[in-house]
Amino acid sequence: QKRAGVVVAICNVNGIPSLLLEKRSAHLRAHPDEVCLPGGMASSMEDASIVATCLREMHEEIDGLPQPASVLGVLRCNWGEVHHLVGVAVTPVVVFVGELGDLQLRPNPDEVAEVFTIPLISLLRRDDWIHREGFAPIFVG
């Protein structure tokens, strides 16, 4: 079974708790131009754990992040449900990457078109979400 990890990368931007996100490159075969969390496929040759996968992928995709990131935990999820949606068992790993306010983050153009953050508080505004029966909620804030 294919495994992947995504990073729920919490950071501060000038002291404001935020979430780090990426916009995938337009030339990618799968999910071009989509907003996503950093992460990718596990490599049995390189990765000792799914946490190692997440940290490796995040640093391959985004240059200039503070190191080391603090791993806060691994989220449990229904792998069968996630696998059904995307064809891969995806494990979310929560990390704190620190203060990003003055840093120049450089996306790897082979995979990432843009790196950006959103304040965590904005995720709590109900009006910024679209809910449709049978679909995952969509954030539009």
PDB file of all heavy atoms in Angstrom, residues 75-84 89-90:
ATOM      1  N   LEU A  75      -1.281  12.907  13.635  1.00  0.00           N
ATOM      2  CA  LEU A  75      -2.734  12.844  13.750  1.00  0.00           C
ATOM      3  C   LEU A  75      -3.235  11.490  13.281  1.00  0.00           C
ATOM      4  O   LEU A  75      -2.785  10.971  12.260  1.00  0.00           O
ATOM      5  CB  LEU A  75      -3.391  13.950  12.923  1.00  0.00           C
ATOM      6  CG  LEU A  75      -3.031  15.382  13.305  1.00  0.00           C
ATOM      7  CD1 LEU A  75      -3.727  16.366  12.361  1.00  0.00           C
ATOM      8  CD2 LEU A  75      -3.417  15.672  14.743  1.00  0.00           C
ATOM      9  N   ARG A  76      -4.159  10.958  14.024  1.00  0.00           N
ATOM     10  CA  ARG A  76      -4.803   9.714  13.597  1.00  0.00           C
ATOM     11  C   ARG A  76      -5.883  10.058  12.579  1.00  0.00           C
ATOM     12  O   ARG A  76      -6.562  11.062  12.697  1.00  0.00           O
ATOM     13  CB  ARG A  76      -5.437   8.992  14.783  1.00  0.00           C
ATOM     14  CG  ARG A  76      -4.439   8.469  15.756  1.00  0.00           C
ATOM     15  CD  ARG A  76      -5.156   7.687  16.829  1.00  0.00           C
ATOM     16  NE  ARG A  76      -4.198   7.150  17.762  1.00  0.00           N
ATOM     17  CZ  ARG A  76      -3.807   5.886  17.774  1.00  0.00           C
ATOM     18  NH1 ARG A  76      -4.311   5.036  16.911  1.00  0.00           N
ATOM     19  NH2 ARG A  76      -2.929   5.474  18.651  1.00  0.00           N
ATOM     20  N   CYS A  77      -6.009   9.203  11.592  1.00  0.00           N
ATOM     21  CA  CYS A  77      -7.077   9.398  10.619  1.00  0.00           C
ATOM     22  C   CYS A  77      -7.539   8.041  10.138  1.00  0.00           C
ATOM     23  O   CYS A  77      -6.873   7.025  10.354  1.00  0.00           O
ATOM     24  CB  CYS A  77      -6.614  10.268   9.452  1.00  0.00           C
ATOM     25  SG  CYS A  77      -5.235   9.601   8.517  1.00  0.00           S
ATOM     26  N   ASN A  78      -8.667   8.008   9.489  1.00  0.00           N
ATOM     27  CA  ASN A  78      -9.193   6.779   8.927  1.00  0.00           C
ATOM     28  C   ASN A  78      -8.505   6.568   7.576  1.00  0.00           C
ATOM     29  O   ASN A  78      -8.914   7.129   6.564  1.00  0.00           O
ATOM     30  CB  ASN A  78     -10.709   6.885   8.762  1.00  0.00           C
ATOM     31  CG  ASN A  78     -11.306   5.620   8.207  1.00  0.00           C
ATOM     32  OD1 ASN A  78     -10.632   4.813   7.561  1.00  0.00           O
ATOM     33  ND2 ASN A  78     -12.589   5.427   8.452  1.00  0.00           N
ATOM     34  N   TRP A  79      -7.433   5.776   7.577  1.00  0.00           N
ATOM     35  CA  TRP A  79      -6.650   5.584   6.363  1.00  0.00           C
ATOM     36  C   TRP A  79      -7.475   5.066   5.207  1.00  0.00           C
ATOM     37  O   TRP A  79      -7.273   5.444   4.061  1.00  0.00           O
ATOM     38  CB  TRP A  79      -5.486   4.641   6.627  1.00  0.00           C
ATOM     39  CG  TRP A  79      -4.340   5.284   7.299  1.00  0.00           C
ATOM     40  CD1 TRP A  79      -4.315   6.491   7.935  1.00  0.00           C
ATOM     41  CD2 TRP A  79      -3.043   4.756   7.422  1.00  0.00           C
ATOM     42  NE1 TRP A  79      -3.074   6.741   8.441  1.00  0.00           N
ATOM     43  CE2 TRP A  79      -2.271   5.685   8.150  1.00  0.00           C
ATOM     44  CE3 TRP A  79      -2.439   3.586   7.002  1.00  0.00           C
ATOM     45  CZ2 TRP A  79      -0.931   5.473   8.440  1.00  0.00           C
ATOM     46  CZ3 TRP A  79      -1.114   3.377   7.296  1.00  0.00           C
ATOM     47  CH2 TRP A  79      -0.368   4.316   8.003  1.00  0.00           C
ATOM     48  N   GLY A  80      -8.429   4.201   5.504  1.00  0.00           N
ATOM     49  CA  GLY A  80      -9.271   3.666   4.437  1.00  0.00           C
ATOM     50  C   GLY A  80     -10.060   4.754   3.740  1.00  0.00           C
ATOM     51  O   GLY A  80     -10.195   4.769   2.526  1.00  0.00           O
ATOM     52  N   GLU A  81     -10.577   5.705   4.527  1.00  0.00           N
ATOM     53  CA  GLU A  81     -11.347   6.804   3.952  1.00  0.00           C
ATOM     54  C   GLU A  81     -10.451   7.722   3.126  1.00  0.00           C
ATOM     55  O   GLU A  81     -10.795   8.124   2.023  1.00  0.00           O
ATOM     56  CB  GLU A  81     -12.005   7.594   5.079  1.00  0.00           C
ATOM     57  CG  GLU A  81     -12.923   8.685   4.597  1.00  0.00           C
ATOM     58  CD  GLU A  81     -13.626   9.368   5.753  1.00  0.00           C
ATOM     59  OE1 GLU A  81     -14.238   8.658   6.573  1.00  0.00           O
ATOM     60  OE2 GLU A  81     -13.541  10.602   5.821  1.00  0.00           O
ATOM     61  N   VAL A  82      -9.270   8.056   3.650  1.00  0.00           N
ATOM     62  CA  VAL A  82      -8.329   8.907   2.920  1.00  0.00           C
ATOM     63  C   VAL A  82      -7.843   8.198   1.660  1.00  0.00           C
ATOM     64  O   VAL A  82      -7.788   8.787   0.579  1.00  0.00           O
ATOM     65  CB  VAL A  82      -7.142   9.322   3.822  1.00  0.00           C
ATOM     66  CG1 VAL A  82      -6.097  10.082   3.026  1.00  0.00           C
ATOM     67  CG2 VAL A  82      -7.633  10.143   5.001  1.00  0.00           C
ATOM     68  N   HIS A  83      -7.515   6.919   1.779  1.00  0.00           N
ATOM     69  CA  HIS A  83      -7.053   6.138   0.624  1.00  0.00           C
ATOM     70  C   HIS A  83      -8.125   6.125  -0.464  1.00  0.00           C
ATOM     71  O   HIS A  83      -7.829   6.253  -1.650  1.00  0.00           O
ATOM     72  CB  HIS A  83      -6.685   4.720   1.049  1.00  0.00           C
ATOM     73  CG  HIS A  83      -6.045   3.921  -0.036  1.00  0.00           C
ATOM     74  ND1 HIS A  83      -6.774   3.212  -0.948  1.00  0.00           N
ATOM     75  CD2 HIS A  83      -4.745   3.754  -0.369  1.00  0.00           C
ATOM     76  CE1 HIS A  83      -5.946   2.610  -1.795  1.00  0.00           C
ATOM     77  NE2 HIS A  83      -4.712   2.929  -1.465  1.00  0.00           N
ATOM     78  N   HIS A  84      -9.371   6.010  -0.044  1.00  0.00           N
ATOM     79  CA  HIS A  84     -10.483   6.014  -1.008  1.00  0.00           C
ATOM     80  C   HIS A  84     -10.550   7.337  -1.764  1.00  0.00           C
ATOM     81  O   HIS A  84     -10.836   7.372  -2.952  1.00  0.00           O
ATOM     82  CB  HIS A  84     -11.804   5.743  -0.277  1.00  0.00           C
ATOM     83  CG  HIS A  84     -13.005   5.873  -1.140  1.00  0.00           C
ATOM     84  ND1 HIS A  84     -13.325   4.959  -2.116  1.00  0.00           N
ATOM     85  CD2 HIS A  84     -13.963   6.839  -1.207  1.00  0.00           C
ATOM     86  CE1 HIS A  84     -14.422   5.346  -2.738  1.00  0.00           C
ATOM     87  NE2 HIS A  84     -14.826   6.482  -2.199  1.00  0.00           N
ATOM     88  N   ALA A  89      -2.585   6.166   1.355  1.00  0.00           N
ATOM     89  CA  ALA A  89      -2.774   6.328   2.792  1.00  0.00           C
ATOM     90  C   ALA A  89      -1.926   7.514   3.246  1.00  0.00           C
ATOM     91  O   ALA A  89      -0.706   7.473   3.177  1.00  0.00           O
ATOM     92  CB  ALA A  89      -2.364   5.062   3.526  1.00  0.00           C
ATOM     93  N   VAL A  90      -2.574   8.598   3.673  1.00  0.00           N
ATOM     94  CA  VAL A  90      -1.888   9.835   4.018  1.00  0.00           C
ATOM     95  C   VAL A  90      -1.916  10.031   5.535  1.00  0.00           C
ATOM     96  O   VAL A  90      -2.981   9.977   6.142  1.00  0.00           O
ATOM     97  CB  VAL A  90      -2.542  11.049   3.330  1.00  0.00           C
ATOM     98  CG1 VAL A  90      -1.830  12.332   3.711  1.00  0.00           C
ATOM     99  CG2 VAL A  90      -2.548  10.868   1.818  1.00  0.00           C
TER     100      VAL A  90
END
